[in-house]
Amino acid sequence: MHITALAGGVGGARFIRGLRHHLDTTPGLADSTVSVIANTGDDITLFGLRVSPDVDTLLYTLGNGVHEGQGWGRADESHRVQGELAAYGALPQWFALGDLDFGTHIVRSQWLGQGVPLSEVTARLAARWGLPERRITLLPMSDVPVETHVVVADGEDGAERAIHFQEWWVRHQASIPAQRFVVAGLDRATAAPGVLDAIRSADVVLLPPSNPVVSIGIILGVPGVRDALRGTTAPVVGISPLISGRPIRGHADACLSAIGVDSTAQAVAGLYEDFLDGWLVDPADATTRARARVEAFDGPLLMTDVDATARIAAHALRLADAVRA
């Protein structure tokens, strides 16, 4: 079986890890392959280096090198370089980059500067982390640089200004109400090599519980991706990122509010209704209605550990089989 997933950062990475665990421990499925289409709309340039937060979280998580407590960054990390940058007065300091993490950003920036496309750079990084040996192909959504910005009201006069999504998300913890999102470069973007083929040739397409607005939503904005999802013969199954209207992780509710969508599992399913075939929800949201076939998981829809996540992934694949039948 070949499975393709659209993924953001922590939630997407943990789901794919659980999915791979399920495949590896289920007779007859160990040879299955997984293609992961990663959001690069979170990308940012810091200290002259190109940082791809969602791609890196996928690399570290699937390569068994992530800081488990945070869900992002490297395990056994130190921060001497950023401390030295702070001593020089270099800004910003609200985005923590560890010493090991700097290595990833330095080599990415070096290769990009040599004219290597992001898709090839990502393939090289994935090889370092052993993803091909785990039958995982990691694809950035586009080779074209794309950056998400958040328009916020500035001060008492209500004047609007745009800040990078990472500043809104990390520095302000999404506490400043977002007026709207502006995705710079998306109008010029094209799907990276392999992205559309991964969707069209898949046996199953999965939408992990990633942020529906600024993770999966940005991937869907790349020309051709949504059309490929509409046209694929594979069942498309999503896992709700909300439980009783609250995000499983992060600030998806703040993002949904900014685009005028209710924070419910049903409303999120509506964002995908033109291509969604199955929608897995928490028991608390069992009354969800959608054009897709809706099923409630048999317990809390929480990725508390790898085994729990593997059970969620297994249910999603069973739902795909039911839709296909």
CSV table of all heavy atoms in Angstrom, one decimal, residues 125-161:
chain,number,residue,atom,x,y,z
A,125,LEU,N,18.4,16.0,3.4
A,125,LEU,CA,18.2,16.0,4.9
A,125,LEU,C,17.5,14.8,5.4
A,125,LEU,O,17.9,14.2,6.4
A,125,LEU,CB,17.4,17.3,5.3
A,125,LEU,CG,18.1,18.6,5.0
A,125,LEU,CD1,17.1,19.8,5.3
A,125,LEU,CD2,19.4,18.8,5.9
A,126,ALA,N,16.5,14.3,4.6
A,126,ALA,CA,15.8,13.1,5.0
A,126,ALA,C,16.7,11.9,4.9
A,126,ALA,O,16.5,11.0,5.8
A,126,ALA,CB,14.6,12.9,4.0
A,127,ALA,N,17.6,11.9,4.0
A,127,ALA,CA,18.5,10.7,3.9
A,127,ALA,C,19.4,10.7,5.2
A,127,ALA,O,19.7,9.6,5.7
A,127,ALA,CB,19.4,10.8,2.7
A,128,ARG,N,19.9,11.9,5.7
A,128,ARG,CA,20.7,12.0,6.9
A,128,ARG,C,19.9,11.4,8.1
A,128,ARG,O,20.5,10.8,9.0
A,128,ARG,CB,21.1,13.4,7.1
A,128,ARG,CG,21.9,13.6,8.4
A,128,ARG,CD,20.9,14.1,9.6
A,128,ARG,NE,21.7,14.4,10.8
A,128,ARG,CZ,21.9,13.6,11.8
A,128,ARG,NH1,21.5,12.3,11.7
A,128,ARG,NH2,22.5,14.0,12.9
A,129,TRP,N,18.6,11.6,8.1
A,129,TRP,CA,17.8,11.1,9.2
A,129,TRP,C,17.2,9.7,9.0
A,129,TRP,O,16.4,9.3,9.8
A,129,TRP,CB,16.7,12.1,9.5
A,129,TRP,CG,17.2,13.3,10.2
A,129,TRP,CD1,17.5,14.5,9.6
A,129,TRP,CD2,17.6,13.4,11.5
A,129,TRP,NE1,18.1,15.4,10.5
A,129,TRP,CE2,18.1,14.7,11.7
A,129,TRP,CE3,17.5,12.6,12.6
A,129,TRP,CZ2,18.6,15.2,13.0
A,129,TRP,CZ3,18.0,13.0,13.9
A,129,TRP,CH2,18.5,14.3,14.0
A,130,GLY,N,17.5,9.1,7.9
A,130,GLY,CA,17.1,7.7,7.7
A,130,GLY,C,15.7,7.5,7.3
A,130,GLY,O,15.2,6.4,7.4
A,131,LEU,N,15.1,8.5,6.7
A,131,LEU,CA,13.7,8.3,6.3
A,131,LEU,C,13.5,7.4,5.2
A,131,LEU,O,12.5,6.6,5.2
A,131,LEU,CB,13.0,9.7,6.0
A,131,LEU,CG,12.4,10.4,7.2
A,131,LEU,CD1,13.4,10.7,8.3
A,131,LEU,CD2,11.7,11.7,6.8
A,132,PRO,N,14.3,7.4,4.2
A,132,PRO,CA,14.1,6.4,3.1
A,132,PRO,C,14.1,5.0,3.6
A,132,PRO,O,13.4,4.1,3.1
A,132,PRO,CB,15.3,6.7,2.1
A,132,PRO,CG,15.6,8.1,2.3
A,132,PRO,CD,15.4,8.3,3.8
A,133,GLU,N,15.0,4.7,4.5
A,133,GLU,CA,15.1,3.3,5.1
A,133,GLU,C,13.8,3.0,5.8
A,133,GLU,O,13.5,1.8,5.9
A,133,GLU,CB,16.3,3.2,6.0
A,133,GLU,CG,17.6,3.2,5.3
A,133,GLU,CD,18.1,4.6,5.0
A,133,GLU,OE1,17.4,5.6,5.3
A,133,GLU,OE2,19.2,4.7,4.4
A,134,ARG,N,13.1,4.0,6.3
A,134,ARG,CA,11.8,3.7,7.0
A,134,ARG,C,10.6,3.8,6.0
A,134,ARG,O,9.5,3.8,6.4
A,134,ARG,CB,11.6,4.8,8.1
A,134,ARG,CG,12.7,4.6,9.2
A,134,ARG,CD,12.4,5.7,10.3
A,134,ARG,NE,13.3,5.5,11.4
A,134,ARG,CZ,14.6,6.0,11.5
A,134,ARG,NH1,15.1,6.7,10.5
A,134,ARG,NH2,15.3,5.7,12.6
A,135,ARG,N,11.0,3.8,4.7
A,135,ARG,CA,9.9,3.8,3.6
A,135,ARG,C,9.1,5.1,3.7
A,135,ARG,O,7.9,5.1,3.5
A,135,ARG,CB,9.1,2.6,3.7
A,135,ARG,CG,9.9,1.3,3.5
A,135,ARG,CD,8.9,0.1,3.5
A,135,ARG,NE,9.7,-1.1,3.3
A,135,ARG,CZ,10.3,-1.8,4.2
A,135,ARG,NH1,10.2,-1.4,5.5
A,135,ARG,NH2,11.0,-2.9,4.0
A,136,ILE,N,9.7,6.2,4.0
A,136,ILE,CA,9.1,7.5,4.1
A,136,ILE,C,9.7,8.4,3.1
A,136,ILE,O,11.0,8.6,3.2
A,136,ILE,CB,9.1,8.1,5.5
A,136,ILE,CG1,8.4,7.2,6.5
A,136,ILE,CG2,8.5,9.5,5.5
A,136,ILE,CD1,8.6,7.6,8.0
A,137,THR,N,9.0,9.1,2.3
A,137,THR,CA,9.4,10.1,1.4
A,137,THR,C,8.9,11.4,1.8
A,137,THR,O,7.7,11.6,2.0
A,137,THR,CB,9.0,9.8,-0.1
A,137,THR,OG1,9.5,8.6,-0.5
A,137,THR,CG2,9.5,10.9,-1.0
A,138,LEU,N,9.8,12.4,2.1
A,138,LEU,CA,9.3,13.7,2.6
A,138,LEU,C,9.5,14.7,1.5
A,138,LEU,O,10.6,14.9,0.9
A,138,LEU,CB,10.2,14.1,3.8
A,138,LEU,CG,9.9,15.5,4.4
A,138,LEU,CD1,8.4,15.5,4.9
A,138,LEU,CD2,10.8,15.7,5.6
A,139,LEU,N,8.3,15.3,1.1
A,139,LEU,CA,8.3,16.3,0.0
A,139,LEU,C,7.8,17.6,0.5
A,139,LEU,O,6.7,17.7,1.1
A,139,LEU,CB,7.3,15.8,-1.0
A,139,LEU,CG,7.5,14.4,-1.6
A,139,LEU,CD1,6.3,14.0,-2.4
A,139,LEU,CD2,8.7,14.4,-2.5
A,140,PRO,N,8.6,18.7,0.3
A,140,PRO,CA,8.0,20.0,0.6
A,140,PRO,C,6.9,20.3,-0.4
A,140,PRO,O,6.9,19.8,-1.5
A,140,PRO,CB,9.2,21.0,0.4
A,140,PRO,CG,10.1,20.2,-0.6
A,140,PRO,CD,9.9,18.8,-0.3
A,141,MET,N,6.0,21.1,0.0
A,141,MET,CA,4.8,21.4,-0.9
A,141,MET,C,5.2,22.1,-2.2
A,141,MET,O,4.6,21.9,-3.2
A,141,MET,CB,3.7,22.2,-0.1
A,141,MET,CG,4.2,23.6,0.2
A,141,MET,SD,2.9,24.5,1.2
A,141,MET,CE,3.5,26.2,1.0
A,142,SER,N,6.3,22.9,-2.1
A,142,SER,CA,6.7,23.7,-3.2
A,142,SER,C,8.2,24.0,-3.1
A,142,SER,O,8.7,24.2,-2.0
A,142,SER,CB,5.9,25.0,-3.3
A,142,SER,OG,6.3,25.8,-4.4
A,143,ASP,N,8.9,24.2,-4.2
A,143,ASP,CA,10.2,24.7,-4.2
A,143,ASP,C,10.3,26.2,-4.2
A,143,ASP,O,11.3,26.8,-3.9
A,143,ASP,CB,11.0,24.2,-5.5
A,143,ASP,CG,11.4,22.8,-5.4
A,143,ASP,OD1,11.6,22.3,-4.3
A,143,ASP,OD2,11.6,22.1,-6.5
A,144,VAL,N,9.1,26.8,-4.4
A,144,VAL,CA,9.0,28.3,-4.4
A,144,VAL,C,8.9,28.8,-2.9
A,144,VAL,O,8.1,28.2,-2.2
A,144,VAL,CB,7.8,28.8,-5.2
A,144,VAL,CG1,7.7,30.3,-5.1
A,144,VAL,CG2,8.0,28.4,-6.7
A,145,PRO,N,9.7,29.7,-2.5
A,145,PRO,CA,9.6,30.2,-1.1
A,145,PRO,C,8.2,30.8,-0.9
A,145,PRO,O,7.7,31.6,-1.6
A,145,PRO,CB,10.7,31.3,-1.0
A,145,PRO,CG,11.7,31.0,-2.1
A,145,PRO,CD,10.9,30.4,-3.2
A,146,VAL,N,7.6,30.4,0.2
A,146,VAL,CA,6.3,30.8,0.6
A,146,VAL,C,6.3,31.2,2.1
A,146,VAL,O,6.9,30.4,2.9
A,146,VAL,CB,5.2,29.7,0.4
A,146,VAL,CG1,3.8,30.2,0.9
A,146,VAL,CG2,5.1,29.4,-1.1
A,147,GLU,N,5.8,32.3,2.5
A,147,GLU,CA,5.7,32.7,3.9
A,147,GLU,C,4.4,33.2,4.3
A,147,GLU,O,3.8,34.1,3.6
A,147,GLU,CB,6.8,33.8,4.1
A,147,GLU,CG,8.2,33.3,4.0
A,147,GLU,CD,9.2,34.3,4.6
A,147,GLU,OE1,8.8,35.3,5.2
A,147,GLU,OE2,10.5,34.1,4.4
A,148,THR,N,3.9,32.7,5.4
A,148,THR,CA,2.6,33.2,5.9
A,148,THR,C,2.8,34.3,6.8
A,148,THR,O,3.6,34.3,7.8
A,148,THR,CB,1.9,32.0,6.6
A,148,THR,OG1,1.8,30.9,5.8
A,148,THR,CG2,0.5,32.4,7.1
A,149,HIS,N,2.0,35.4,6.6
A,149,HIS,CA,2.0,36.5,7.5
A,149,HIS,C,0.6,36.7,8.1
A,149,HIS,O,-0.4,36.3,7.5
A,149,HIS,CB,2.5,37.8,6.7
A,149,HIS,CG,3.9,37.8,6.3
A,149,HIS,ND1,4.3,37.0,5.2
A,149,HIS,CD2,5.0,38.3,6.9
A,149,HIS,CE1,5.6,37.2,5.1
A,149,HIS,NE2,6.1,38.0,6.1
A,150,VAL,N,0.6,37.4,9.3
A,150,VAL,CA,-0.7,37.6,10.0
A,150,VAL,C,-0.9,39.1,10.1
A,150,VAL,O,0.0,39.8,10.6
A,150,VAL,CB,-0.6,37.0,11.4
A,150,VAL,CG1,-2.0,37.1,12.1
A,150,VAL,CG2,-0.2,35.5,11.3
A,151,VAL,N,-2.0,39.5,9.6
A,151,VAL,CA,-2.4,40.9,9.8
A,151,VAL,C,-3.1,41.1,11.1
A,151,VAL,O,-4.1,40.5,11.4
A,151,VAL,CB,-3.3,41.4,8.6
A,151,VAL,CG1,-3.8,42.8,8.8
A,151,VAL,CG2,-2.6,41.2,7.3
A,152,VAL,N,-2.6,42.0,11.9
A,152,VAL,CA,-3.1,42.3,13.3
A,152,VAL,C,-3.4,43.8,13.4
A,152,VAL,O,-2.8,44.6,12.7
A,152,VAL,CB,-2.1,41.8,14.4
A,152,VAL,CG1,-1.9,40.3,14.3
A,152,VAL,CG2,-0.8,42.6,14.3
A,153,ALA,N,-4.2,44.1,14.3
A,153,ALA,CA,-4.5,45.5,14.6
A,153,ALA,C,-3.4,46.0,15.6
A,153,ALA,O,-3.1,45.4,16.6
A,153,ALA,CB,-5.9,45.7,15.3
A,154,ASP,N,-2.8,47.1,15.3
A,154,ASP,CA,-1.6,47.6,16.0
A,154,ASP,C,-2.0,48.8,16.8
A,154,ASP,O,-2.3,49.9,16.3
A,154,ASP,CB,-0.5,48.0,15.0
A,154,ASP,CG,0.8,48.3,15.7
A,154,ASP,OD1,0.9,48.0,16.9
A,154,ASP,OD2,1.7,48.9,15.1
A,155,GLY,N,-2.1,48.7,18.2
A,155,GLY,CA,-2.3,49.8,19.1
A,155,GLY,C,-3.7,50.3,19.1
A,155,GLY,O,-4.6,49.7,18.6
A,156,GLU,N,-3.9,51.4,19.8
A,156,GLU,CA,-5.2,51.9,20.1
A,156,GLU,C,-5.9,52.5,18.8
A,156,GLU,O,-7.1,52.5,18.8
A,156,GLU,CB,-5.2,53.0,21.2
A,156,GLU,CG,-4.7,52.5,22.5
A,156,GLU,CD,-4.7,53.6,23.6
A,156,GLU,OE1,-5.0,54.8,23.2
A,156,GLU,OE2,-4.3,53.3,24.7
A,157,ASP,N,-5.1,52.9,17.9
A,157,ASP,CA,-5.7,53.5,16.7
A,157,ASP,C,-6.3,52.4,15.7
A,157,ASP,O,-6.9,52.7,14.7
A,157,ASP,CB,-4.8,54.4,16.0
A,157,ASP,CG,-3.5,53.7,15.5
A,157,ASP,OD1,-3.4,52.5,15.7
A,157,ASP,OD2,-2.6,54.3,14.9
A,158,GLY,N,-5.9,51.2,16.0
A,158,GLY,CA,-6.5,50.1,15.2
A,158,GLY,C,-5.8,49.9,13.8
A,158,GLY,O,-6.3,49.2,13.0
A,159,ALA,N,-4.7,50.6,13.6
A,159,ALA,CA,-4.0,50.5,12.3
A,159,ALA,C,-3.5,49.1,12.2
A,159,ALA,O,-3.1,48.4,13.1
A,159,ALA,CB,-2.9,51.5,12.2
A,160,GLU,N,-3.6,48.6,10.9
A,160,GLU,CA,-3.2,47.2,10.7
A,160,GLU,C,-1.7,47.1,10.3
A,160,GLU,O,-1.2,48.0,9.7
A,160,GLU,CB,-4.0,46.6,9.6
A,160,GLU,CG,-5.5,46.4,9.9
A,160,GLU,CD,-6.3,45.7,8.8
A,160,GLU,OE1,-5.8,45.7,7.7
A,160,GLU,OE2,-7.4,45.2,9.1
A,161,ARG,N,-1.1,46.0,10.7
A,161,ARG,CA,0.3,45.7,10.3
A,161,ARG,C,0.4,44.2,10.2
A,161,ARG,O,-0.4,43.5,10.8
A,161,ARG,CB,1.3,46.2,11.3
A,161,ARG,CG,1.3,45.6,12.7
A,161,ARG,CD,2.3,46.2,13.6
A,161,ARG,NE,2.3,45.6,14.9
A,161,ARG,CZ,3.2,44.7,15.4
A,161,ARG,NH1,4.2,44.4,14.5
A,161,ARG,NH2,3.1,44.2,16.6
